[in-house]
Amino acid sequence: MHLPKHVTLKEVGPRDGLQNEKVHIATEDKIQLVNLLSQSGLNYIEVTSFVHPKWIPQLADAVEVLQAIKREKDITYAALVPNMRGLERALLAGIDEASIFMSASESHNQKNINKTILETLPILKEVVIGAKAENKHVRGYISTVIGCPYEGYIHPEKVLQVTDKLLEMGVDEISLGDTIGVGVPTQVEYLLEELLKRYPVEKFAMHFHDTRGTALANITKSLEMGITKFDSSLGGLGGCPYAKGATGNVATEDLLYLLDGMGIATSVNMEKLLDAVRFIEQRLGKDVASKQMAIVRNEGSANVT
Ligand code: HMG
Ligand code: MG
């Protein structure tokens, strides 16, 4: 198996994780969570989201959180930005990178951002221009790249069409989201083969939700295809409230176990990462779903290869 030597983990827990939690997390706890994650060696943290607070009430304190975290110099602090109103708030709060987002499927796009795909493109283009004018990197998420809860299987051609548009706008990196965790490795391979015919592998990151337990298998396939950037969420928290049946992301600690075991370097320290997981578990008042935390609960420490 030909594998990359180094992988970057992009931690989306404070955003994708918390947006799907009903228990209200206090602003100071969100700040502490990000600070703990900053101590774990991660070099990318998606801190929050500047969507409409009515759509995601849990993250209504986005400006306060971003302004109060303790920033470490080698970490990119990013946030979700849907439109110019969101970008204004995000720039005020001092984001390093803006993450715009849309779907490959028409129905999920409409349910999630209240616009058709065609209506969304000029809105996102404005955000890219505005962010670039402030020298910010822009990441573009494409959701439902394999399956949509409303339309079923999504053909790679649809993903290619949206990828073309986002890269034409000047987006620096595309994160391909299996939003509802339906994909299997053969589908991931087909999707990436099609995209990599047109674009270099460095343009892509993968964002797997683990609804059916296929995320690590899909990540292994992506590694074989040369992908070196993966989104993950501490504790396996996460999900899109506007995608029926979407549950948690692949857990950062489970992904780290896989990568460590395969001898693929990351900058992340397992014990420090687990400090952040224990903290949020306590604040959420429930056991998180990751395998590593189940081992810690049973055996008192993480299982190291
Ligand atoms: P809309 O209602 O169509 O917005 O929502 P609008 O442009 O028609 O504006 C209506 C009003 O909202 C206006 O106020 C705007 O100013 C205000 P008024 O003039 O009537 O007083 N407004 C805002 N206020 C604050 N912040 C803003 C903002 N925008 C407009 N940013 C919108 C459109 C996109 C805002 C809405 O649909 C929305 O916020 N959707 C977000 C849903 C969401 O967060 N979903 C989860 C994240 S995506 C995800 O999880 C997938 C991902 O993880 C990848 C994967 O897993 O696939 C990324
Ligand atoms: Mg997601």
Side-chain angles (χ1 to χ4, degrees), residues 250-297:
V250 65
T252 309
E253 57 272 27
D254 291 345
L255 176 52
L256 184 60
Y257 177 83
L258 179 88
L259 296 171
D260 283 350
M262 290 170 100
I264 299 173
T266 68
S267 52
V268 186
N269 175 286
M270 179 69 90
E271 278 309 323
K272 292 203 166 142
L273 174 66
L274 291 176
D275 288 342
V277 184
R278 285 188 196 94
F279 173 78
I280 198 63
E281 201 172 55
Q282 203 264 333
R283 290 300 187 271
L284 289 169
K286 66 170 187 187
D287 288 353
V288 296
S290 79
K291 304 279 189 288
Q292 282 300 303
M293 273 309 282
I295 290 164
V296 171
R297 263 180 241 114

Side-chain angles (χ1 to χ4, degrees), residues 11 13-15 18 27-40 42 44-48 65-66 68-72 75-78 234 276 279-280:
E11 173 60 49
R15 190 281 301 173
L18 296 188
T27 304
E28 65 260 30
D29 290 336
K30 290 175 188 152
I31 295 163
Q32 197 175 340
L33 173 65
V34 175
N35 291 345
L36 284 167
L37 288 168
S38 292
Q39 296 309 311
S40 73
L42 284 160
Y44 187 102
I45 304 175
E46 197 174 69
V47 176
T48 187
V65 173
L66 246 167
I69 54 172
K70 185 169 174 299
R71 289 174 183 243
E72 302 295 338
I75 304 182
T76 299
Y77 294 98
L234 81 164
F279 173 78
I280 198 63

Side-chain angles (χ1 to χ4, degrees), residues 110-179:
Q110 291 184 26
K111 287 229 167 14
N112 198 35
I113 49 181
N114 209 22
K115 304 274 182 299
T116 64
I117 287 178
L118 263 184
E119 288 165 343
T120 303
L121 292 169
I123 295 172
L124 296 187
K125 188 168 179 182
E126 256 191 298
V127 175
V128 177
I129 293 168
K132 292 277 171 186
E134 297 295 323
N135 294 318
K136 304 295 177 191
H137 267 246
V138 182
R139 170 172 230 236
Y141 279 105
I142 305 177
S143 288
T144 64
V145 296
I146 294 174
C148 165
Y150 315 103
E151 295 178 23
Y153 177 68
I154 299 296
H155 194 275
E157 185 51 39
K158 285 198 174 165
V159 184
L160 255 176
Q161 281 166 11
V162 176
T163 301
D164 287 346
K165 296 287 182 203
L166 291 177
L167 290 175
E168 260 168 46
M169 282 177 203
V171 161
D172 298 289
E173 169 183 306
I174 301 275
S175 174
L176 298 166
D178 182 10
T179 317

Side-chain angles (χ1 to χ4, degrees), residues 12 15-16 19 141 179 207 209 239-240 249:
V12 297
R15 190 281 301 173
D16 198 318
Q19 78 182 9
Y141 279 105
T179 317
H207 179 108
H209 284 260
C240 174
N249 292 76

